[in-house]
Amino acid sequence: NGRVSMIAAMILAVVIGQQPVFHDVPATFLCVVGGVTAALSVKTLRSRSNFYAPVLIIVAGYLAGALALGLASGWPIEEIGLRGLWGALNGLVSAGLTFFLLPVAESVTHITTDLTLLELSDPSRPLLRRLSVEAPGTYAHSVAMANLVEAACNRIGANGLLGRVGCYYHDIGKVKNPQYFVENQIPGNNPHDRLKPLQSAQIIKAHVTDGLALAAEADLPDAVAAFIPEHHGTTEITYFLDKAKKIDGNQTRNIEDFTYPGPKPRSMETAISMIADSVEAALRVLEDLTPQKIEEAIHHIVRTKVNAGQLDQAPLTLQQIEQVKQAFLVVLSGMYHNRIDYPESSGGISAAWQPPPETARSSR
């Protein structure tokens, strides 16, 4: 936050300037120049290269400050050069210390930086690698969902990178029992067919607590781990609740047994992930998707979440929700666009294509 950094730099400059050792040195002015320059120059740190430009700007700021102060005070050129050199060295050392002390600062303040998020987004990370191997359907869903959430977050000014990374990890608990989730199942082999609805609901709910346990083991930041429970909020596991009602009739049952533990989304990013999770899953069920059908599905899901009070604790305005819907529509229209039929004579595949008999026989 540039504004907070500027205020902190000014306060620190005043404190340093009041120290006895600096009474004869205009340290306050140079500290203000260096601190404000640093606060204004560092906007994003997503790679090592993002360090270089701010360091050069800070060095230039110190040199300019020393030159201005020296000319105003009548310093000799050697004195100006020495002050500028010390200031430039201070900028270089400060940048180096920042790079090495950043992990410590993150652990103390619980603030997750972009550098950490980028590290967590690496597909070779143990949890993501395990998810892609043991629950490939869930992994594919997470990646598709991440594209939606990042676009929507960027549209409304939220943290798009946090939204993307949170989606990568939001369903990691499914690696405990991947075969119980439809996206990982082989057609015709659904283990829930052999279970009672209550048992199935408990297994589905468990992926939240399992995910939080895995997140704690992997030492995921709180901001990322929050996606695990909050993307479901306190919604009901309606499929198995309806199944239980059909089997048991009006028999009294505890609705909490068929409800996710929550909490409801408490940030813009987790709220958007809740909507995206439902939208991405719902569109896989629909056929003959058109932009109009996609838009209507998005609107229906958002209205359902709002009416259920699932977004009550999220800092989203109605205008931002509309922007989220529009961002989803743009991304999803691109994902589900139509393709032309390529001639089968040239080795292409059309909508009416069927595998030839010899291919079917050889695959057995």
Side-chain angles (χ1 to χ4, degrees):
N1 189 308
R3 186 177 302 175
V4 174
S5 300
M6 287 181 61
I7 295 173
M10 292 178 182
I11 294 174
L12 187 60
V14 172
V15 172
I16 292 175
Q18 296 303 313
Q19 302 304 310
V21 69
F22 294 122
H23 273 175
D24 296 329
V25 180
T28 302
F29 176 77
L30 290 178
C31 285
V32 168
V33 170
V36 171
T37 303
L40 294 177
S41 62
V42 180
K43 295 186 181 298
T44 58
L45 289 176
R46 294 193 172 184
S47 66
R48 289 187 181 90
S49 61
N50 291 141
F51 269 102
Y52 303 147
V55 168
L56 293 177
I57 294 173
I58 293 169
V59 169
Y62 272 117
L63 292 175
L67 179 61
L69 198 59
L71 293 176
S73 304
W75 291 349
I77 190 67
E78 295 83 2
E79 182 74 9
I80 295 175
L82 182 62
R83 301 295 185 190
L85 182 61
W86 278 113
L89 184 62
N90 178 46
L92 293 172
V93 172
S94 298
L97 288 175
T98 299
F99 188 82
F100 288 107
L101 295 178
L102 199 57
V104 178
E106 285 189 60
S107 64
V108 172
T109 62
H110 299 287
I111 296 175
T112 306
T113 65
D114 287 350
L115 287 176
T116 296
L117 292 174
L118 284 171
E119 291 175 357
L120 292 174
S121 68
D122 184 354
S124 64
R125 299 279 297 192
L127 270 181
L128 294 183
R129 173 62 63 184
R130 183 179 174 187
L131 184 67
S132 66
V133 172
E134 299 181 23
T138 300
Y139 181 77
H141 159 70
S142 299
V143 172
M145 180 177 155
N147 293 332
L148 288 174
V149 172
E150 183 177 35
C153 285
N154 290 337
R155 180 75 174 268
I156 67 172
N159 190 333
L161 182 58
L162 173 60
R164 170 172 286 278
V165 175
C167 289
Y168 286 162
Y169 291 90
H170 82 288
D171 269 345
I172 55 173
K174 291 183 179 181
V175 298
K176 293 286 187 178
N177 293 293
Q179 71 277 13
Y180 285 94
F181 298 90
V182 65
E183 66 268 23
N184 302 310
Q185 292 173 358
I186 299 173
N189 183 23
N190 188 344
H192 289 290
D193 294 338
R194 300 182 291 273
L195 299 176
K196 294 180 179 180
L198 179 58
Q199 292 174 308
S200 295
Q202 295 305 309
I203 293 174
I204 298 300
K205 282 178 61 175
H207 88 271
V208 173
T209 52
D210 290 339
L212 289 173
L214 289 171
E217 291 176 10
D219 199 24
L220 290 184
D222 294 341
V224 175
F227 283 78
I228 297 171
E230 292 183 24
H231 84 277
H232 280 305
T234 57
T235 56
E236 295 176 349
I237 307 173
T238 54
Y239 180 84
F240 293 110
L241 178 59
D242 291 343
K243 188 176 180 180
K245 290 178 179 178
K246 291 177 182 178
I247 294 175
D248 302 333
N250 295 325
Q251 180 179 339
T252 302
R253 64 182 58 81
N254 188 356
I255 297 299
E256 291 185 0
D257 292 336
F258 295 87
T259 303
Y260 285 106
K264 296 177 181 179
R266 292 175 289 189
S267 69
M268 289 190 289
E269 293 82 7
T270 56
I272 295 171
S273 74
M274 168 181 275
I275 301 171
D277 183 59
S278 298
V279 168
E280 201 281 330
L283 293 184
R284 292 182 180 271
V285 179
L286 300 177
E287 298 179 353
D288 300 324
L289 287 174
T290 63
Q292 181 180 0
K293 185 179 287 188
I294 293 173
E295 184 175 14
E296 291 173 353
I298 295 171
H299 180 71
H300 170 74
I301 289 171
V302 170
R303 185 175 65 246
T304 300
K305 300 297 184 186
V306 171
N307 291 342
Q310 291 299 318
L311 304 181
D312 288 353
Q313 298 178 20
L316 282 175
T317 65
L318 292 176
Q319 182 183 20
Q320 288 174 326
I321 291 176
E322 288 300 318
Q323 291 175 329
V324 167
K325 290 161 62 176
Q326 291 303 313
F328 281 4
L329 181 61
V330 171
V331 175
L332 291 168
S333 296
M335 289 172 59
Y336 293 100
H337 65 281
N338 293 325
R339 299 296 297 269
I340 62 173
D341 289 347
Y342 289 91
E344 294 186 28
S345 59
S346 63
I349 292 179
S350 65
W353 180 84
Q354 294 291 334
E358 59 272 16
T359 302
R361 286 195 300 269
S362 63
S363 64
R364 292 194 182 102

